[in-house]
Amino acid sequence: MTVTADRRALLTGAAALAAGSVFGFRPGPALAQSGDLPAIQAAVAAGKDASTARIQDWIRNPSIAAENLNMPEGAEYMARLARDAGFSDVEIIPTDGHPGVFGVMDVGAPRWLAVYFMYDVKQFDPAEWSSPPLEAALVDKEGFGRVIVGRGAVNQKGPEGAFLAALHALRAAGKSPPVNLVLVCEGEEEIGSPHFRQVTTRPNVLAALKKCEGVFIPTGWQSPSTGAVTINLGAKGIIECELTASGAAWGRGPARDIHSSQKANVDSPAWRLVAALSSLVSPDGNTPAIEGWFEHVRDLTPRERELIAASAEANSEADAKRALGVQTWIDDLPWRQSLERLASQPTVNIEGLVAGYTGPGGKTVLPGSGTAKLDMRLVPNQTVDDCLAKLRAHLDAKGFPDVEVRFTGGYNPTATAEDSRIIRAQKAVYDRAGAPSTLYPRSAGSWPGCVFTDAPVGLPAGQFGLGHGSGAHAPNEYFVIDSTNPKVAGLDGATLGFVDFLYEMASIS
Amino acid sequence: MTVTADRRALLTGAAALAAGSVFGFRPGPALAQSGDLPAIQAAVAAGKDASTARIQDWIRNPSIAAENLNMPEGAEYMARLARDAGFSDVEIIPTDGHPGVFGVMDVGAPRWLAVYFMYDVKQFDPAEWSSPPLEAALVDKEGFGRVIVGRGAVNQKGPEGAFLAALHALRAAGKSPPVNLVLVCEGEEEIGSPHFRQVTTRPNVLAALKKCEGVFIPTGWQSPSTGAVTINLGAKGIIECELTASGAAWGRGPARDIHSSQKANVDSPAWRLVAALSSLVSPDGNTPAIEGWFEHVRDLTPRERELIAASAEANSEADAKRALGVQTWIDDLPWRQSLERLASQPTVNIEGLVAGYTGPGGKTVLPGSGTAKLDMRLVPNQTVDDCLAKLRAHLDAKGFPDVEVRFTGGYNPTATAEDSRIIRAQKAVYDRAGAPSTLYPRSAGSWPGCVFTDAPVGLPAGQFGLGHGSGAHAPNEYFVIDSTNPKVAGLDGATLGFVDFLYEMASIS
């Protein structure tokens, strides 16, 4: 640890735990009746410092697929974490990209549950951080308590570390998990999981997954103002790609950057990029205009609209706007309609633009090429393959056959039934913990749940976790360790939440 | 010098000079009849190593206005070069930006001539260079001979250094220049000369300039295949600016980069930038579509068309295409028409695009802002002030009042009469040197000649120089010192060319 522990904060946390006042934790009947609880609670408390240090050390060892940074090392690290937590038959599984990791914990329980981990993190620019992104410093954050600041803190090493803490606590308490576990991990989540299907469809991995009730990824997304969590019944899919216009491919314009005075008689690939981009969306940039893009888009069902309406009621529009730094939604939509749009609409977003001279001041060049980094969110029943084909056909039809589309990653939308055990178990644990939960038809973000929900795996898939962090993909990402906010769980509460979730999955009808 | 001189090459050069075979140099009547020539020729040869070293040392001390790099130091350096060359009353002239430099060499001659120097250079990325850009190494370049490679080698320290070499040679030969000289220098040429008018309109500078026949900037642009040079009768003007769309200014979209999943209900400043850009040009990117942009654009005159036709005859289209790396001109125009378009048409060019994530791979952000770096070339009778006002009015009218225009520099077009002494003297010296010259109505590039040709200075202004270099604003910029190419002058030939030009300016009718 690079920061001297604040003894007062630790003592306060310990006192709170001793007094049984860990964030709203009330065990379910299965856990309560097991008689295991006192020993587990003591083990969670005793293991907290080690669990915190485990998350910090993991953050200090980042793997970034987009930069090909420490990928084999990250897989080895992940495998070690799995073995340390009690998984056996842990394997590093090579793919055509970066490796996955697989492990099993067969305790002879009647039911099986799968857990999905990502061991990679998003890129970062240290200059933008107030605490170094790889230091994983413990700092006091006003309104939250003691938090870890670092890349991956909430996305996803903190919540994954809390789940590992639950397994360590069970073992320390002399207990086996109440369900058998399958662990599948990938290192390419942040680049669109291009090879994860190669992991889940390996015969031994697929056979293990097929036994499971469902699969979940550990999360820690409680609202800081209400403690609320959203139970997503699915997520949008995504295509990430780069659109490039170049003189070389076009046969017009320069093959490389030339002096800008030539613009009067030489065509510009940068302007061609702008024209090609303009054709992809409505003039306001908000609706895809790619030919046939909405062909397979299905409208929200009445039940989905009902769920969104309930979510709009349960969540604060002002909080959401403040968190995002926005003053108004698209088309000045009211809150509920903005959420319907968020859940139901496919998008074509510019992640980044790069052409010519990008440094300080100007430089009189006519660039030889220009690139837009795009991400496109897909909704049921769009698919990556169909949409990529439509994008290519659209550019060809609009007169841009030379504009290159480089697909860098993505996956289909995913959906899980509201009445599946994994969804109902989440709700039960959240309810007991006093965390208001709202069922939501579809996350606007993406996760590779389709790898599980699509054939051949065909499992219900979801996200679960108490606790809180924020700043995924942004500077100063954090995860709460010692919560001073009565609405959100700290690491201990999140850990006990995972224990309760395992007991619930073992016993739910 | 960082490179050991290649003795054989130096000896070859000395032998060539001794044999009187310096590139096509034939003195004009004024110089021939002065009796000064033998002493001057000997002084040029004797001073060549020092002149070469002077250019190298200057390149090793770069000033880059765009990066605020060594600007006071560059002005001091420039002032020292001026004093060393024999200018008196040398002053560093402060401006609201970076300083200018002024000096006078009053030898009591009947006529006065002004010389314009820039002491700044363009930015560079060392990674793109085969020889370090600040090393100013002497290297053998196939087809050219011994060249200096470095930032500023041809734009403009090499040619300026050759002119200084001419002054040193005259003094070493015990001769005064045949005309009195005024030297005006700036350090902001590469950022559009935003403050140079403050230098030229200082009372003492203006008074000195008013005495002059004209003003020229030393150049070294002989064609490597023919030795040809272009005598420009003017140049386009330029506006450099940055267009920025941001959530902060717009009141829509995010104030900073947020997660891209929000694109479904949050507006995108990057798409807004694309839409605003699209409105500025025709769909092919080749014709400005800004309301009123052509209001003051005057068509080519018959004489201008005649000059362009002659230039098309005299220059190789294939060479031009090869040098630029282009396969075709705009609209597949034939050579002559492409040159008419080059000379006559205003442009709106994208120098650079920067938004969101610009690193390797992707990053799922919805950027809070996006910026396009633009340069716009202006033709007679457009003006910077009028065009900037039209750009703003256009964006406002198209619904983009929030899209910010940050003007970073620029100046008006410039024109000089074909029958002015400075133009006729150029032609006479080029003719004698055997360098085919073509009069050209207007350079498509820009130089701040308007600072001289506009009121209150009102001087004819041009560019003059023998010699050859290339790579301005590009990697591996070079200037020929010892020419093995019979078509182009080396440093000695360029130096003697400047001497002859001074004598011609003193004597031309």
Side-chain angles (χ1 to χ4, degrees):
Chain A
M1 297 205 302
T2 57
V3 169
T4 305
D6 178 330
R7 290 190 56 81
R8 191 176 51 80
L10 287 174
L11 290 169
T12 306
L17 183 67
S21 67
V22 168
F23 162 84
F25 179 71
R26 287 191 300 125
L31 177 53
Q33 288 157 23
S34 70
D36 298 345
L37 185 57
I40 295 170
Q41 275 184 308
V44 167
K48 202 193 81 173
D49 284 356
S51 297
T52 303
R54 188 180 301 118
I55 295 168
Q56 289 178 297
D57 191 69
W58 199 8
I59 290 171
R60 290 168 194 154
N61 289 278
S63 298
I64 300 180
E67 299 176 352
N68 198 17
L69 177 75
N70 295 334
M71 297 310 300
E73 296 82 353
E76 289 288 351
Y77 197 106
M78 182 69 247
R80 185 157 52 79
L81 286 175
R83 285 187 200 100
D84 290 352
F87 286 94
S88 60
D89 302 316
V90 174
E91 278 183 78
I92 290 176
I93 299 188
T95 71
D96 291 341
H98 300 297
V101 178
F102 169 64
V104 169
M105 197 181 296
D106 182 354
V107 296
R111 286 187 185 159
W112 288 74
L113 177 66
V115 192
Y116 161 64
F117 271 31
M118 53 187 281
Y119 68 79
D120 62 324
V121 297
K122 202 71 186 170
Q123 306 96 300
F124 55 85
D125 177 357
E128 298 174 345
W129 289 61
S130 60
S131 175
L134 297 185
E135 197 169 281
L138 282 167
V139 303
D140 284 316
K141 187 174 173 72
E142 192 173 340
F144 292 94
R146 183 56 63 109
V147 307
I148 292 177
V149 177
R151 174 50 86 225
V154 66
N155 176 211
Q156 205 74 275
K157 290 175 173 177
E160 289 169 351
F163 179 74
L164 294 176
L167 300 184
H168 281 275
L170 284 167
R171 188 168 51 182
K175 311 297 175 191
S176 288
V179 289
N180 310 309
L181 293 169
V182 173
L183 176 69
V184 281
C185 316
E186 70 159 323
E188 296 184 328
E189 203 277 346
E190 295 293 6
I191 59 168
S193 303
H195 305 100
F196 188 37
R197 209 173 287 268
Q198 295 176 9
V199 177
T200 59
T201 56
R202 266 248 308 214
N204 61 328
V205 180
L206 182 58
L209 287 171
K210 283 289 203 184
K211 300 183 202 166
C212 295
E213 295 292 322
V215 57
F216 78 103
I217 182 169
T219 55
W221 296 334
Q222 285 192 279
S223 159
S225 57
T226 62
V229 279
T230 296
I231 300 174
N232 285 308
L233 297 177
K236 289 185 182 176
I238 187 170
I239 289 173
E240 279 197 271
C241 64
E242 293 190 352
L243 246 64
T244 297
S246 69
W250 189 15
R252 308 192 69 85
R256 52 182 167 72
D257 294 3
I258 62 173
H259 195 274
S260 69
S261 61
Q262 296 292 150
K263 182 66 207 80
N265 67 354
V266 175
D267 296 279
S268 163
W271 276 123
R272 187 162 181 78
L273 176 68
V274 167
L277 286 173
S278 294
S279 80
L280 300 182
V281 293
S282 55
D284 63 5
N286 292 332
T287 305
I290 300 162
E291 181 66 27
W293 205 251
F294 287 84
E295 183 188 1
H296 300 302
V297 172
R298 72 158 173 77
D299 199 9
L300 293 171
T301 63
R303 175 59 177 158
E304 286 172 336
R305 289 190 194 277
E306 192 174 280
L307 291 173
I308 291 169
S311 176
E313 281 292 320
N315 290 285
S316 157
E317 178 178 18
D319 281 358
K321 284 185 169 174
R322 193 163 38 243
L324 293 169
V326 304
Q327 298 172 44
T328 183
W329 308 113
I330 282 176
D331 297 332
D332 297 317
L333 289 173
W335 177 224
R336 180 172 60 77
Q337 284 89 325
S338 82
L339 291 180
E340 287 184 354
R341 202 183 195 292
L342 183 62
S344 66
Q345 292 305 296
T347 63
V348 177
N349 175 60
I350 296 176
E351 295 179 350
L353 289 174
V354 199
Y357 177 70
T358 58
K363 188 173 176 187
T364 47
V365 293
L366 195 179
S369 69
T371 294
K373 296 169 186 277
L374 301 182
D375 70 65
M376 308 179 173
R377 304 282 170 172
L378 308 183
V379 300
N381 296 313
Q382 294 181 296
T383 64
V384 169
D385 291 347
D386 184 59
C387 287
L388 278 175
K390 281 175 169 151
L391 173 60
R392 181 69 269 161
H394 169 92
L395 289 169
D396 293 351
K398 291 287 179 183
F400 302 107
D402 54 289
V403 172
E404 184 193 357
V405 177
R406 197 167 72 82
F407 174 60
T408 55
Y411 34 80
N412 295 335
T414 180
T416 284
E418 190 178 338
D419 63 0
S420 60
R421 279 184 175 133
I422 202 157
I423 299 297
R424 289 186 290 120
Q426 287 181 44
K427 182 151 173 45
V429 176
Y430 288 141
D431 284 352
R432 284 197 291 270
S437 69
T438 39
L439 278 168
Y440 203 70
R442 182 178 312 122
S443 164
S446 303
W447 77 293
C450 67
V451 174
F452 302 109
T453 56
D454 285 357
V457 181
L459 285 185
Q463 300 122 345
F464 172 78
L466 292 165
H468 171 75
S470 188
H473 298 198
N476 302 319
E477 183 179 351
Y478 68 92
F479 184 67
V480 174
I481 299 299
D482 295 308
S483 178
T484 56
N485 178 338
K487 297 293 186 184
V488 302
L491 179 58
D492 278 353
T495 303
L496 284 167
F498 285 120
V499 172
D500 195 32
F501 182 64
L502 295 179
Y503 279 85
E504 186 70 25
M505 280 302 295
S507 61
I508 195 167
S509 62
Chain B
M1 299 207 297
T2 58
V3 168
T4 306
D6 179 328
R7 291 188 56 78
R8 193 173 52 77
L10 286 175
L11 289 170
T12 306
L17 182 66
S21 67
V22 168
F23 163 82
F25 179 69
R26 286 192 299 124
L31 177 52
Q33 289 155 23
S34 70
D36 299 346
L37 185 57
I40 295 171
Q41 277 185 306
V44 167
K48 202 194 79 174
D49 284 358
S51 296
T52 304
R54 189 181 301 117
I55 295 168
Q56 290 178 297
D57 192 67
W58 199 7
I59 290 171
R60 290 168 193 152
N61 289 277
S63 297
I64 300 179
E67 299 176 352
N68 197 16
L69 177 74
N70 295 334
M71 297 310 300
E73 295 82 355
E76 289 287 353
Y77 196 105
M78 182 69 247
R80 184 156 54 76
L81 286 175
R83 285 188 200 99
D84 290 351
F87 286 94
S88 60
D89 302 317
V90 174
E91 278 184 80
I92 291 176
I93 300 189
T95 71
D96 291 342
H98 301 298
V101 178
F102 168 63
V104 169
M105 195 180 297
D106 182 354
V107 296
R111 287 187 184 161
W112 288 75
L113 177 66
V115 192
Y116 161 64
F117 271 32
M118 53 187 280
Y119 68 80
D120 61 323
V121 297
K122 203 68 187 171
Q123 306 97 298
F124 55 85
D125 177 357
E128 299 173 344
W129 290 60
S130 60
S131 175
L134 298 185
E135 198 169 280
L138 281 166
V139 303
D140 285 316
K141 187 174 174 70
E142 194 174 338
F144 293 93
R146 183 60 62 110
V147 307
I148 293 179
V149 177
R151 174 49 87 228
V154 67
N155 176 209
Q156 204 76 279
K157 291 176 173 176
E160 289 169 352
F163 179 75
L164 295 175
L167 300 184
H168 281 274
L170 284 168
R171 188 168 51 182
K175 313 296 174 190
S176 288
V179 290
N180 309 309
L181 295 169
V182 173
L183 176 70
V184 280
C185 316
E186 70 159 323
E188 296 184 329
E189 203 279 344
E190 296 292 6
I191 59 167
S193 303
H195 305 98
F196 188 37
R197 208 174 287 270
Q198 295 176 12
V199 177
T200 59
T201 56
R202 262 246 312 209
N204 61 329
V205 179
L206 182 58
L209 287 171
K210 283 288 203 185
K211 300 182 205 167
C212 295
E213 296 292 324
V215 58
F216 79 102
I217 182 169
T219 55
W221 295 334
Q222 285 192 276
S223 158
S225 57
T226 63
V229 278
T230 296
I231 300 174
N232 286 306
L233 298 177
K236 290 185 183 177
I238 187 170
I239 289 172
E240 281 197 87
C241 64
E242 295 190 350
L243 245 66
T244 297
S246 69
W250 189 14
R252 308 192 68 87
R256 52 180 167 75
D257 294 3
I258 61 173
H259 196 273
S260 68
S261 61
Q262 297 292 149
K263 182 67 208 81
N265 66 353
V266 175
D267 295 279
S268 163
W271 277 123
R272 187 162 181 77
L273 176 67
V274 167
L277 286 172
S278 294
S279 80
L280 300 182
V281 293
S282 55
D284 63 6
N286 292 332
T287 305
I290 300 162
E291 180 68 26
W293 205 251
F294 286 83
E295 183 188 0
H296 300 301
V297 171
R298 72 157 172 80
D299 201 8
L300 293 171
T301 64
R303 175 59 179 159
E304 286 172 335
R305 287 189 196 277
E306 194 175 281
L307 292 173
I308 291 170
S311 176
E313 280 293 318
N315 290 284
S316 158
E317 179 178 17
D319 281 358
K321 284 185 168 172
R322 193 163 36 241
L324 294 168
V326 305
Q327 298 173 43
T328 184
W329 308 113
I330 281 175
D331 297 332
D332 296 317
L333 289 175
W335 179 223
R336 180 171 59 77
Q337 285 90 324
S338 83
L339 293 180
E340 288 184 353
R341 201 182 196 291
L342 183 62
S344 65
Q345 293 305 297
T347 63
V348 177
N349 176 61
I350 296 175
E351 297 180 350
L353 290 173
V354 199
Y357 176 70
T358 59
K363 188 174 175 185
T364 47
V365 293
L366 195 180
S369 70
T371 293
K373 295 167 187 279
L374 302 182
D375 70 67
M376 308 180 176
R377 305 280 170 173
L378 308 183
V379 300
N381 298 314
Q382 294 181 298
T383 64
V384 169
D385 290 347
D386 183 60
C387 286
L388 277 175
K390 281 174 168 151
L391 173 60
R392 180 71 268 161
H394 169 92
L395 289 169
D396 292 352
K398 292 287 180 184
F400 302 107
D402 53 291
V403 172
E404 184 193 356
V405 177
R406 197 166 72 83
F407 174 60
T408 55
Y411 34 80
N412 294 335
T414 180
T416 284
E418 189 179 341
D419 63 358
S420 60
R421 281 186 174 132
I422 202 157
I423 299 298
R424 288 186 292 121
Q426 288 181 46
K427 181 150 172 46
V429 176
Y430 288 143
D431 285 352
R432 284 198 291 271
S437 69
T438 37
L439 280 167
Y440 204 70
R442 183 178 309 123
S443 163
S446 303
W447 77 292
C450 66
V451 174
F452 303 108
T453 56
D454 285 357
V457 182
L459 284 185
Q463 300 124 346
F464 172 78
L466 292 164
H468 171 75
S470 190
H473 298 197
N476 302 319
E477 183 179 351
Y478 67 94
F479 184 67
V480 174
I481 298 300
D482 295 308
S483 178
T484 57
N485 178 338
K487 297 294 185 184
V488 303
L491 179 58
D492 278 353
T495 303
L496 284 167
F498 285 121
V499 172
D500 195 32
F501 182 64
L502 295 180
Y503 278 84
E504 187 68 25
M505 282 301 295
S507 60
I508 196 167
S509 62

